Amino acid sequence: PTMEPRDSSDAEIEALDTLCERLNGFDERVSTEWLDGGMAALIAGPRAITPEEALPALLGDAWQRAFADPTDVDQAMATLLARWKVLASQLDAEALFDAPDELRLVPLLMEFSDAQRDKLLAEGTIDAAQAASFPLLGEVWAIGVLDAIQSFSEDWSTPPTDSADAAFFADCLNTL
């Protein structure tokens, strides 16, 4: 029997939001949704990657610039690890194989309505071009996944076309 996946508490998500707001000051790509997608990709990836290895590749020097004081670094890492552990429980490979149809992953997705977009545009918070390219549900999370894969591209290789895994790989991509 596999364990039920854990979910983040409201306090953990709030702490992660605060962490991402600070990081965003040094890397504009960073949002809670983007980082959640990136961490999910690294946890589900072809090899085990630690957060300490992932941060420089995913965030460049933004982490060091945002969190310089040792106590601050420890708190930020604890916040990050809390979500990392939740995602790892949700993406537990054994549990996924035991119950492939069971929904386990609960990504942190922001849903923006047309009304919110229009309000931001009217306030001048975003311009017309930004309003036209307002993200769809899950889009920023998916970009985080792709950015993480890009950061560790040497780990993500396609099987040779004449291998037994090639057809399985193609089938997996075709289910998207």
Side-chain angles (χ1 to χ4, degrees):
T2 56
M3 285 182 35
E4 284 295 307
R6 207 166 77 69
D7 202 357
S8 296
S9 69
D10 290 345
E12 288 171 331
I13 293 171
E14 191 175 312
L16 189 63
D17 284 340
T18 301
L19 178 143
C20 288
E21 284 173 20
R22 284 184 64 185
L23 286 168
N24 182 269
F26 299 96
D27 184 338
E28 65 183 16
R29 299 173 305 162
V30 179
S31 68
T32 304
E33 185 174 355
W34 178 86
L35 187 60
D36 195 61
M39 290 191 300
L42 296 174
I43 292 165
R47 72 176 173 97
I49 295 174
T50 65
E52 293 81 7
E53 180 185 359
L55 290 174
L58 202 54
L59 299 170
D61 67 351
W63 181 268
Q64 292 84 1
R65 292 172 64 204
F67 307 105
D69 176 78
T71 305
D72 210 16
V73 170
D74 290 346
Q75 180 58 47
M77 187 57 79
T79 297
L80 190 80
L81 284 173
R83 183 61 186 167
W84 188 276
K85 289 175 183 174
V86 166
L87 287 168
S89 82
Q90 293 177 357
L91 293 168
D92 177 62
E94 187 176 316
L96 291 169
F97 277 114
D98 288 349
D101 296 328
E102 182 182 314
L103 182 62
R104 294 181 53 86
L105 180 62
V106 183
L108 300 177
L109 304 179
M110 296 290 296
E111 186 167 8
F112 296 102
S113 68
D114 290 347
Q116 287 170 308
R117 180 200 60 215
D118 295 344
K119 181 177 182 257
L120 292 172
L121 183 60
E123 292 171 347
T125 307
I126 62 173
D127 61 27
Q130 291 168 316
S133 64
F134 218 59
L136 301 172
L137 179 63
E139 182 178 353
V140 174
W141 192 87
I143 291 168
V145 168
L146 295 173
D147 285 348
I149 291 170
Q150 180 69 39
S151 295
F152 289 89
S153 59
E154 67 280 359
D155 291 344
W156 296 78
S157 59
T158 57
T161 53
D162 58 349
S163 74
D165 293 331
F168 175 71
F169 181 78
D171 286 346
C172 288
L173 289 179
N174 288 328
T175 62
L176 298 177

